[in-house]
Amino acid sequence: SEVKAEDPYMWDAGAVLGMSGYLGDAGGSNPFRRPGVMFGGLARYNFNERWAMRGQMSVSTLSGNTADFDNVYPDNAEYSFRSTVGEFSVRGECNFLPYGMGEAYKSLSRWSPFVSVGVGVSMINCDGASSFSPVIPLSAGVKYKMTRQLNLSVEFSMTKTFSDKIDGESLDDPYGIKSSFIKNTDWYSALSVSLSYEFGQRC
């Protein structure tokens, strides 16, 4: 069939830039107490106006220091760390409104809140030691269609790791209390902006 001017696009791809943060043994309840930098790229397949699948690669810098808060560790020890986390994830994405432009009969919206959840893997480098961990990224945000093919998004994400290595070996179970690999783990977060371009019209 012939492609029409109003036909939707199947794909979009773009760049992500934002502020990263950390939740773990060397941080309090504010993940952005010691903010880092997060940057990366994304590619998205749009099933329809509500549902999409996104692949994302990113790099985040994280840091923390136990001197920032009131927890007391054995022997009054203090710990600090700096790490770099590279992530690859695949996420399902749901728009709350029928997102798009054109196709007037569908009553599309140029903006929409959205949520996403996925699975992925992170490569962690902390103070020279490297490790891998499966991760579950969770996020919520708002996207806006600047033009039919150009999208702007603002997003807050929290990523659960299945590792306690983000903050280094010293903070792997600092209290000496054995726990499950699910409970005794670190999180990292990001507040980011992305810009993406759509292509590949669907007939």
Side-chain angles (χ1 to χ4, degrees):
S1 62
E2 193 174 316
V3 173
K4 301 176 183 178
E6 283 196 341
D7 284 341
Y9 294 92
M10 293 182 289
W11 299 91
D12 66 292
V16 187
L17 179 65
M19 177 174 63
S20 58
Y22 150 86
L23 285 173
D25 296 306
S29 58
N30 178 7
F32 300 116
R33 189 179 188 107
R34 289 177 175 260
V37 175
M38 176 267 203
F39 61 92
L42 62 86
R44 183 186 288 110
Y45 180 77
N46 300 292
F47 296 104
N48 52 45
E49 299 82 15
R50 298 274 189 175
W51 296 95
M53 185 70 70
R54 179 188 3 159
Q56 182 165 310
M57 297 182 67
S58 64
V59 176
S60 301
T61 61
L62 306 172
S63 63
N65 193 322
T66 59
D68 289 343
F69 60 108
D70 297 331
N71 282 10
V72 177
Y73 289 99
D75 301 320
N76 291 314
E78 293 187 354
Y79 305 98
S80 64
F81 78 96
R82 292 183 179 276
S83 63
T84 302
V85 178
E87 177 194 308
F88 173 75
S89 61
V90 178
R91 313 179 187 196
E93 196 171 278
C94 175
N95 301 318
F96 291 127
L97 300 174
Y99 180 68
M101 287 181 67
E103 299 179 288
Y105 67 96
K106 290 186 177 180
S107 300
L108 300 178
S109 174
R110 290 184 66 169
W111 73 280
S112 178
F114 69 93
V115 293
S116 76
V117 61
V119 294
V121 62
S122 285
M123 184 180 73
I124 303 159
N125 185 288
C126 181
D127 299 328
S130 297
S131 60
F132 289 87
S133 173
V135 296
I136 298 177
L138 311 165
S139 70
V142 177
K143 60 180 66 171
Y144 174 71
K145 190 166 280 295
M146 301 171 70
T147 68
R148 283 202 66 227
Q149 292 178 265
L150 200 59
N151 304 287
L152 178 69
S153 298
V154 178
E155 182 175 19
F156 174 71
S157 65
M158 292 288 294
T159 302
K160 179 174 178 57
T161 73
F162 291 86
S163 167
D164 201 24
K165 305 292 187 184
I166 282 181
D167 42 23
E169 295 289 343
S170 298
L171 284 165
D172 186 358
D173 193 18
Y175 295 106
I177 301 172
K178 296 302 177 185
S179 181
S180 72
F181 81 100
I182 293 176
K183 184 178 180 181
N184 191 30
T185 55
D186 297 320
W187 293 68
Y188 57 92
S189 59
L191 181 61
S192 62
V193 176
S194 66
L195 191 65
S196 66
Y197 183 80
E198 296 188 10
F199 58 95
Q201 277 184 288
R202 179 181 287 109
C203 297

